[in-house]
Amino acid sequence: AQSVAQPEDQVNVAEGNPLTVKCTYSVSGNPYLFWYVQYPNRGLQFLLKYITGDNLVKGSYGFEAEFNKSQTSFHLKKPSALVSDSALYFCAVRDTSGGSYIPTFGRGTSLIVHP
Amino acid sequence: DTGVSQDPRHKITKRGQNVTFRCDPISEHNRLYWYRQTLGQGPEFLTYFQNEAQLEKSRLLSDRFSAERPKGSFSTLEIQRTEQGDSAMYLCASSTTGLGDTQYFGPGTRLTVL
């Protein structure tokens, strides 16, 4: 079985400060990991993914995420937050064992960037 | 790349009525997924297609829910005899069949059942 946890419902950060949105996962095999962002009343926008290779993944809008196999984590980071980054962020995992193409999404973390 | 489109964007209906939503995937994508999202939750998988074949439908919420993709292009999701608990955002996504395929989402259809 696969699962994902986003332990923080909300993250508050001041504009210009670094931000981190946390994600931990559980899979039987190896994970495919994804981050998406959702703005109000909109669908999800893809930010980045980890499939294999380099543990540090760079994505859209200056976001990056670090895959840590020993801690089963895939935290989303950005060196300098913008007010426009305020949105809902979802982590998703797909277990590569079993051949399923169905991801499991976390409950989401609301990021609020204060001016 | 025109992205995934969904129609309608909003639907208000009365309890007991049937509703149908349409999804047009990115043109070269042969996988299409349907999700439901309720307030404060992440997307919940419902069903998916590869071309016209529906490969997983056990997670459709009840037998009132059905989906089709007759020609392997657009898809429809139908909810019969709607209930107030069906009120949610219904999301469609599409992808290729490559390794670690990324799902790209449409804007969603917000359903309100009165």
Side-chain angles (χ1 to χ4, degrees):
Chain A
Q2 62 191 28
S3 66
V4 63
Q6 294 182 242
E8 301 154 319
D9 289 337
Q10 186 171 301
V11 170
N12 291 276
V13 63
E15 188 174 30
N17 283 0
L19 69 87
T20 299
V21 183
K22 296 180 180 177
C23 172
T24 59
Y25 67 89
S26 175
V27 294
S28 301
N30 291 315
Y32 290 165
L33 292 153
F34 304 83
W35 275 103
Y36 288 84
V37 60
Q38 186 176 34
Y39 296 98
N41 297 312
R42 302 289 298 275
L44 277 67
Q45 272 181 252
F46 170 72
L47 283 178
L48 52 80
K49 67 182 178 184
Y50 171 81
I51 303 301
T52 187
D54 195 347
N55 289 344
L56 184 63
V57 179
K58 294 188 182 295
S60 306
Y61 312 119
F63 284 94
E64 59 188 29
E66 186 167 12
F67 171 63
N68 188 318
K69 188 170 184 177
S70 62
Q71 296 186 2
T72 61
S73 67
F74 189 57
H75 301 331
L76 182 70
K77 299 182 180 184
K78 188 174 182 181
S80 179
L82 300 172
V83 173
S84 58
D85 292 330
S86 298
L88 199 52
Y89 290 81
F90 291 96
C91 181
V93 67
R94 183 157 69 83
D95 193 341
T96 59
S97 67
S100 171
Y101 294 100
I102 302 168
T104 297
F105 285 82
R107 292 184 55 177
T109 298
S110 177
L111 173 67
I112 300 174
V113 181
H114 302 277
Chain B
D1 178 2
T2 57
V4 178
S5 62
Q6 293 187 245
D7 184 70
R9 295 290 307 276
H10 303 275
K11 178 71 177 179
I12 299 174
T13 191
K14 293 182 179 179
R15 189 174 51 188
Q17 297 295 304
N18 298 343
V19 294
T20 300
F21 309 141
R22 176 178 170 128
C23 172
D24 287 87
I26 294 171
S27 58
E28 62 268 26
H29 287 182
N30 54 7
R31 286 203 193 124
L32 187 149
Y33 305 77
W34 284 100
Y35 293 86
R36 183 181 78 159
Q37 185 180 23
T38 53
L39 195 62
Q41 301 293 326
E44 175 188 13
F45 171 80
L46 296 177
T47 187
Y48 90 101
F49 295 83
Q50 181 158 314
N51 299 314
E52 64 273 14
Q54 191 173 10
L55 298 186
E56 174 62 64
K57 57 182 179 180
S58 66
R59 300 197 200 179
L60 285 167
L61 299 165
S62 77
D63 58 7
R64 298 185 295 107
F65 287 71
S66 63
E68 293 183 341
R69 195 183 183 196
K71 297 183 180 179
S73 57
F74 73 91
S75 175
T76 57
L77 177 70
E78 181 181 16
I79 308 174
Q80 296 183 330
R81 305 180 303 280
T82 53
E83 302 173 356
Q84 288 186 324
D86 297 331
S87 296
M89 176 79 89
Y90 290 86
L91 296 168
C92 175
S94 70
S95 73
T96 62
T97 54
L99 177 68
D101 54 299
T102 298
Q103 295 183 23
Y104 293 92
F105 283 79
T109 295
R110 181 165 295 285
L111 173 66
T112 302
V113 182
L114 302 176

